[in-house]
Amino acid sequence: MAKKSIRGAVVAITGGARGIGLATAQALRAQGAHVSIGDIDAQLAAQAAARVGAYSAELDVRDKASFSRFLESTHSALGPVDVLINNAGIMPMGPFVDEADAISDAQIDINLRGVIHGMKLVLPEMIARGSGHIVNVASLAGRFPIPGASVYCGTKFAVCGMSEALRGELRNTGVNVSVVLPSRVSTELSTGTAAGNGVPTVTPEDVAQAVLDAIQYQLPEVSAPGYLRPVSRYFNVLPRWLEDAARRVVKDDRIMTRLDRVARAPYEQRLSTLVSQPRSAKGANQ
Ligand SMILES: NC(=O)c1ccc[n+]([C@@H]2O[C@H](COP(=O)([O-])OP(=O)(O)OC[C@H]3O[C@@H](n4cnc5c(N)ncnc54)[C@H](O)[C@@H]3O)[C@@H](O)[C@H]2O)c1
């Protein structure tokens, strides 16, 4: 497919104050897109936006009214949203039975419900216009389940399934849906986790490039690194005995057995602050 230019496009990105979202905002700006960063950490989002030359506003993806305010303020500042990147997410780790209900709920609210809110809010205008693109940053854990991240995997599987179904539903409308599947990425979210044997760690910039590829080439699914895409697509067709053997070789339970809680403490502190924070009830603009 011919490469589509994103120069001048208005792109709204959730969770863009740091990590993959910030790297993506930077990559999009470098291509001439107008970028709006939404993040629950409004102060950090404003600093990030000032650095990359983007617009920013407070956003709590758990709250549909907050998401609506973010999109409306983006529209007022930059124009109609051409691309929505649902990137905000959290990844608590550890045994399922020990996970507090509030932490399980937060993953569903942010990683899944937040994506649903965003898509429902942008789609009517995109469909009416006959153009638009939604990119959902899921994870390879949305195709390849990891012990120690059961609820997280559940949310990411849901995002993959929902994205595929919606892509079919929107066929012939001019609106595209893509899903991006990163391996382990060197951000705060993965601090203190150990990847399985042979599982690569990529940079936020690698994932930003995957997001750009999804938009510019209208791809349904992109993984980072790219060579893992066949693994994510075809792993599940292996006979169970072979899958189990492959999992033993990879040591897929490393997240449980080699989780560095000390290194992870600052991220877990950020999560507990977020979870105890009531859903946003404030205005969105900076
Ligand atoms: N880092 C990895 O190893 C990895 C691997 C695969 C997929 N992912 C996915 O990539 C996405 C980005 O992850 P990251 O590694 O950049 O994480 P990160 O923690 O570095 O950044 C996530 C951003 O989302 C924001 N956020 C959290 N809750 C929010 C809410 N309710 N509303 C608005 N913003 C909120 C945070 O403030 C933060 O700025 C996530 O969806 C994650 O699941 C990450």
Side-chain angles (χ1 to χ4, degrees):
M1 179 172 283
K3 188 173 176 180
K4 196 176 158 189
S5 170
I6 48 174
R7 179 163 298 281
V10 174
V11 185
I13 177 157
T14 72
R18 54 165 82 73
I20 293 169
L22 177 56
T24 305
Q26 252 159 342
L28 287 161
R29 286 295 297 134
Q31 295 291 319
H34 302 300
V35 176
S36 174
I37 292 175
D39 203 288
I40 196 159
D41 191 337
Q43 216 179 344
L44 197 64
Q47 289 164 8
R51 275 206 309 281
V52 305
Y55 172 78
S56 80
E58 182 185 344
L59 163 67
D60 184 349
V61 298
R62 296 173 295 179
D63 178 3
K64 195 171 180 187
S66 167
F67 215 139
S68 177
R69 286 194 297 271
F70 165 63
L71 292 169
E72 276 165 21
S73 72
T74 298
H75 190 145
S76 304
L78 305 176
V81 173
D82 297 300
V83 181
L84 171 66
I85 303 173
N86 283 309
N87 163 77
I90 58 168
M91 187 178 78
M93 294 276 107
F96 175 76
V97 289
D98 296 341
E99 189 172 279
D101 291 344
I103 293 282
S104 303
D105 290 348
Q107 292 172 83
I108 295 165
D109 286 345
I110 297 170
N111 299 0
L112 176 57
R113 199 166 273 129
V115 177
I116 297 174
H117 289 330
M119 296 200 300
K120 284 200 171 163
L121 286 166
V122 295
L123 275 173
E125 197 178 292
M126 286 182 175
I127 293 168
R129 208 170 53 216
S131 69
H133 200 137
I134 295 168
V135 180
N136 294 327
V137 180
S139 170
L140 276 169
R143 298 275 191 218
F144 183 97
I146 317 164
S150 301
V151 175
Y152 179 79
C153 288
T155 62
K156 295 298 184 179
F157 264 70
V159 169
C160 288
M162 188 168 62
S163 305
E164 298 274 2
L166 189 57
R167 186 179 168 81
E169 206 173 305
L170 296 174
R171 204 178 292 138
N172 306 324
T173 63
V175 182
N176 246 293
V177 183
S178 303
V179 70
V180 173
L181 311 173
S183 176
R184 184 176 183 275
V185 190
S186 49
T187 65
E188 287 175 24
L189 176 142
S190 68
T191 313
T193 63
N197 282 331
V199 176
T201 297
V202 296
T203 64
E205 290 72 26
D206 294 328
V207 185
Q209 185 56 52
V211 173
L212 250 61
D213 288 347
I215 302 168
Q216 292 176 314
Y217 296 102
Q218 311 274 294
L219 301 172
E221 180 177 316
V222 190
S223 67
Y227 67 80
L228 280 182
R229 184 163 176 271
V231 179
S232 74
R233 278 197 83 68
Y234 302 119
F235 191 77
N236 291 334
V237 303
L238 295 179
R240 179 58 77 170
W241 65 268
L242 191 53
E243 178 181 334
D244 288 345
R247 284 183 171 282
R248 280 194 297 276
V249 172
V250 170
K251 294 196 192 302
D252 70 343
D253 60 351
R254 275 202 181 161
I255 278 179
M256 306 258 281
T257 58
R258 296 210 2 223
L259 192 62
D260 182 344
R261 290 272 181 207
V262 175
R264 211 161 159 70
Y267 180 70
E268 289 187 343
Q269 179 55 48
R270 170 148 72 86
L271 284 191
S272 72
T273 307
L274 194 157
V275 168
S276 61
Q277 202 172 318
R279 289 171 196 208
S280 168
K282 291 194 279 167
N285 258 329
Q286 298 303 300

